[in-house]
Amino acid sequence: MAEIADKSVEIQLGCGLVAAIFQRGNSKPIKQPVSQITNKSSTKKLANPPPKTPSITPRNSISHDRKHVGRSKSDGTRISSKQQSSNSSSTLKKMSQVVNLAPNTQNLRRQPTFTSSDLSATVISHRKSNANGTLSRASSTGNIMLLGHLGNLKQQRIHNGSSDQKTIPQKNTVLMGNILRSRSHVLNKLDPDVLKSMGNEHYRHGRFEEAMALYNQAIAINPKNACYYSNKSAALMSSNRLIEAVIECREAIRLDPYYHNAQYRLARLYLRLGDAEKALNHYEKSGPKVDTRDVAEAQNLKRIICNCIEARRLRDYSTLLKESQNALSSGADSAPQIFAMRAEALMKLHRHEEAYTTIQKGPNFNTDHCTRLFGSTKTAYLLIIRAQVYTLVGRFDDGITAAQEAAKLDPSNEIITILSLIKGLASARVKGNELFKESKYIEACSTYTEGLEQDPYNSVLLFNRAACRFKLGQFEKAVEDCTAALVLRPSYTKARFRRADCYMKLERWEAAIQEFEMLLQEKQGDEEVKRALLDAKIQLERERDEDQKQRMLCNGSSNLVLVSSN
């Protein structure tokens, strides 16, 4: 009977635990909750007592304890009534502590109420269903009981009389409704077509970087959809990243050769990049997207590019300059080869400033991308022209870097010779500057002259030699060097200022005033130029006053001579 009573207490205790968690609103609470039994051991009343949790009072256990007061233990010792009362009180305290865990379970407060009688009925029904092989429902509401909710409350039984209870760790559970909603939200976000639509919306509003990021996500999920690559190509094209756009468009066509939109877009890209032959090829595969005007535009550009190549072969740089401008106006507005040929023509015509401006305005593509699209030979030509133009305006280090990259792609004799020339000019500039800082103006002047013997049209070396000649008092020669530099680069302000100083030393005030006024237009508010201009004007006015006095004196002396003759 004692064992039966103990099992009854354990069963009812379990019912009370689960009842505290799975409460149901339509259940009837037991008149005497367990919390009242727990409060009996306390002499103080709480100001705000915790909410009462319906449970089952273990009356059988209490009566069993009372019946066996004073009975002996198995070892023959007699159990006193005080010890028996202490054991009963300890058992009730543990029951109260376990049951009172339920209000502290924050993540289960929203569960419906569930009474011990319902749980007992559920257990019986579950046992029957196990025998019949059917699934039992937890309550009349039709909700299936989730065992995961009990994970944190399962405990091991006491073994070998030990009072240590170890809680079995369980993973936190999440409500099924939230899981379904979360999964639906994640699946919606990971749908590549949804990502593409979001990217299209950004593209329509001009947010090309955001659009490309979404297209990249769609491609990562489904890399075999040609539409994603084509849309990314459109965003790259609008961002003026044309070579990358070509690469993406090629991938779209590889996946779907009959994708007319991608074929047409690739033709337009090749037209802008100056490859008219490939543009015509893809126009033929564009289906109804292309019209006769597109084809005529590509054919005209092809003819102009042929004229450019022929003019360059003949070293007819005036014709090359004209035809290259025609090519840029005919749709090849981002063609690196056309910009390079135009810069070469301007360089050979000694219009260095315009050549540098052309390089700056032209497309600045990544070398690897450019090589992948145009080939190593054409890319080397673009780099070596850029290297020469950089050197002409004093960017020697950049020139050497570009020439070295060109030599790696095409180690021909012409490119190696140009690389050697640029290194020699850079060395002369560095060595001359060191001598100039040491006030060795004659040696510095000789060093700059050696560099100019290799390239007599380098404006930076001409200006540096003019500075040496100015220090040596050779003002006329300094003016010559500054003038030569300004012919090559009309906006070379340092050379203009140096020439103005030379004019001041030569007392050519009007020429100096003209130089300073031009400098003041370029450098508005420059105090040094203002002072120099004012000084030149004062000197000019003083010179004019002296000239007028001299003329008056001359006129007066001639009159005296006339009087004396009479």
Side-chain angles (χ1 to χ4, degrees):
M1 292 298 292
E3 293 177 357
I4 295 173
D6 291 340
K7 290 183 178 180
S8 176
V9 171
E10 291 177 1
I11 292 171
Q12 295 185 20
L13 176 59
C15 294
L17 286 172
V18 180
I21 301 171
F22 295 91
Q23 296 178 355
R24 193 177 65 181
N26 57 356
S27 63
K28 295 180 181 180
I30 301 301
K31 293 181 180 181
Q32 187 177 3
V34 178
S35 60
Q36 292 180 1
I37 299 175
T38 306
N39 292 334
K40 287 179 181 180
S41 62
S42 175
T43 57
K44 296 182 181 181
K45 294 183 179 181
L46 300 176
N48 296 315
K52 296 181 179 181
T53 304
S55 181
I56 300 175
T57 306
R59 295 177 180 176
N60 294 335
S61 176
I62 297 174
S63 62
H64 175 75
D65 292 338
R66 289 175 179 175
K67 288 179 182 179
H68 293 80
V69 172
R71 294 182 62 180
S72 62
K73 295 183 180 179
S74 59
D75 59 357
T77 60
R78 189 171 185 81
I79 303 173
S80 65
S81 60
K82 185 175 181 180
Q83 291 175 341
Q84 187 70 23
S85 176
S86 175
N87 293 336
S88 175
S89 176
S90 175
T91 301
L92 293 176
K93 286 182 180 180
K94 292 180 179 179
M95 290 170 57
S96 177
Q97 291 174 358
V98 174
V99 171
N100 287 335
L101 288 173
N104 296 329
T105 308
Q106 298 296 331
N107 61 339
L108 300 176
R109 287 186 296 177
R110 296 185 180 180
Q111 299 294 332
T113 57
F114 196 79
T115 63
S116 60
S117 59
D118 291 328
L119 181 61
S120 300
T122 301
V123 172
I124 295 171
S125 176
H126 179 64
R127 290 173 179 174
K128 291 180 179 181
S129 64
N130 287 338
N132 299 330
T134 59
L135 178 65
S136 176
R137 299 272 177 179
S139 66
S140 61
T141 59
N143 295 326
I144 298 176
M145 181 164 45
L146 299 176
L147 295 178
H149 290 284
L150 301 177
N152 293 333
L153 298 178
K154 291 182 181 180
Q155 294 181 344
Q156 295 179 348
R157 293 185 178 182
I158 302 174
H159 298 287
N160 301 326
S162 174
S163 62
D164 296 334
Q165 293 182 351
K166 298 181 179 180
T167 303
I168 302 175
Q170 298 289 337
K171 294 183 179 180
N172 294 331
T173 58
V174 184
L175 296 180
M176 184 61 68
N178 292 337
I179 292 176
L180 292 177
R181 286 194 296 270
S182 177
R183 286 181 178 177
S184 176
H185 179 70
V186 171
L187 289 175
N188 187 47
K189 284 290 186 182
L190 295 180
D191 187 347
D193 287 334
V194 173
L195 294 170
K196 183 200 73 172
S197 300
M198 295 168 63
N200 293 346
E201 187 66 20
H202 282 294
Y203 178 85
R204 282 191 291 270
H205 290 84
R207 298 187 291 267
F208 304 121
E209 293 296 331
E210 291 84 350
M212 280 186 282
L214 290 166
Y215 295 144
N216 283 332
Q217 293 181 38
I219 290 170
I221 298 171
N222 183 8
K224 295 185 178 181
N225 191 315
C227 182
Y228 305 153
Y229 294 95
S230 181
N231 288 13
K232 181 182 177 182
S233 175
L236 287 166
M237 187 175 180
S238 299
S239 300
N240 207 32
R241 295 161 62 178
L242 302 186
I243 293 183
E244 297 172 72
V246 168
I247 294 171
E248 298 298 329
C249 216
R250 280 178 172 179
E251 183 63 19
I253 292 172
R254 187 189 67 81
L255 294 171
D256 185 2
Y258 300 99
Y259 194 174
H260 292 159
N261 284 344
Q263 293 281 6
Y264 183 81
R265 180 171 292 118
L266 187 55
R268 299 300 302 174
L269 284 167
Y270 277 129
L271 189 75
R272 293 187 61 185
L273 291 170
D275 198 334
E277 189 68 34
K278 290 183 180 179
L280 287 169
N281 182 32
H282 287 283
Y283 273 145
E284 292 177 0
K285 301 175 183 179
S286 300
K289 291 289 295 182
V290 68
D291 56 24
T292 56
R293 290 176 297 179
D294 294 325
V295 176
E297 183 183 18
Q299 289 175 344
N300 181 55
L301 179 61
K302 181 180 178 181
R303 178 185 59 81
I304 294 173
I305 292 175
C306 289
N307 293 338
C308 290
I309 295 173
E310 182 64 16
R312 181 175 180 271
R313 187 184 68 83
L314 298 174
R315 300 182 185 276
D316 185 359
Y317 297 112
S318 297
T319 302
L320 178 59
L321 184 62
K322 178 182 177 182
E323 292 296 334
S324 61
Q325 181 60 48
N326 291 336
L328 295 174
S329 303
S330 299
D333 57 349
S334 299
Q337 184 182 7
I338 302 298
F339 276 94
M341 286 192 288
R342 180 172 176 79
E344 182 183 11
L346 290 167
M347 181 174 59
K348 296 299 183 181
L349 295 171
H350 307 306
R351 296 161 63 175
H352 296 174
E353 188 171 299
E354 295 177 66
Y356 181 69
T357 302
T358 300
I359 290 295
Q360 291 295 99
K361 289 183 178 180
N364 187 16
F365 294 133
N366 179 277
T367 302
D368 293 335
H369 290 163
C370 203
T371 304
R372 183 176 176 182
L373 184 62
F374 299 110
S376 58
T377 303
K378 289 185 177 180
T379 304
Y381 168 71
L382 304 177
L383 289 170
I384 202 62
I385 294 298
R386 184 176 297 175
Q388 293 178 81
V389 173
Y390 285 160
T391 305
L392 292 174
V393 297
R395 294 176 58 178
F396 293 96
D397 294 338
D398 294 334
I400 292 174
T401 301
Q404 288 173 341
E405 291 183 4
K408 290 178 182 179
L409 295 173
D410 182 18
S412 61
N413 292 332
E414 182 180 1
I415 292 180
I416 296 299
T417 301
I418 295 174
L419 174 60
S420 177
L421 173 63
I422 294 174
K423 288 183 176 180
L425 295 173
S427 176
R429 195 275 300 264
V430 171
K431 185 178 178 181
N433 289 353
E434 291 176 353
L435 292 170
F436 186 88
K437 291 178 181 177
E438 295 173 1
S439 301
K440 298 178 180 179
Y441 303 120
I442 296 176
E443 293 84 349
C445 186
S446 299
T447 303
Y448 295 135
T449 301
E450 291 175 1
L452 288 168
E453 288 175 356
Q454 301 179 57
D455 181 10
Y457 297 102
N458 190 283
S459 58
V460 175
L461 294 181
L462 286 168
F463 167 74
N464 288 0
R465 190 172 68 175
C468 291
R469 288 176 170 177
F470 180 86
K471 292 292 185 179
L472 294 170
Q474 302 173 3
F475 303 119
E476 291 289 352
K477 290 185 177 181
V479 168
E480 292 176 2
D481 286 341
C482 290
T483 302
L486 288 168
V487 168
L488 298 168
R489 297 171 57 192
S491 64
Y492 197 177
T493 56
K494 290 184 178 180
R496 190 171 298 280
F497 197 92
R498 179 65 65 189
R499 189 168 70 173
D501 284 343
C502 291
Y503 287 146
M504 292 286 287
K505 295 294 184 180
L506 295 171
E507 297 184 355
R508 296 166 60 178
W509 313 117
E510 292 182 357
I513 290 172
Q514 184 178 359
E515 297 290 348
F516 288 133
E517 286 177 345
M518 293 181 66
L519 287 169
L520 200 59
Q521 291 177 0
E522 298 175 3
K523 295 184 176 182
Q524 296 182 0
D526 191 309
E527 296 297 329
E528 185 179 2
V529 175
K530 286 182 178 180
R531 288 193 299 269
L533 176 60
L534 180 60
D535 188 22
K537 287 182 177 181
I538 292 173
Q539 295 295 337
L540 177 61
E541 188 67 27
R542 183 179 300 170
E543 184 181 75
R544 287 177 177 175
D545 291 341
E546 291 179 358
D547 291 341
Q548 186 175 5
K549 290 179 180 179
Q550 290 293 332
R551 287 195 299 270
M552 290 177 64
L553 290 174
C554 291
N555 291 335
S557 62
S558 62
N559 291 333
L560 290 174
V561 170
L562 290 174
V563 171
S564 62
S565 62
N566 290 333

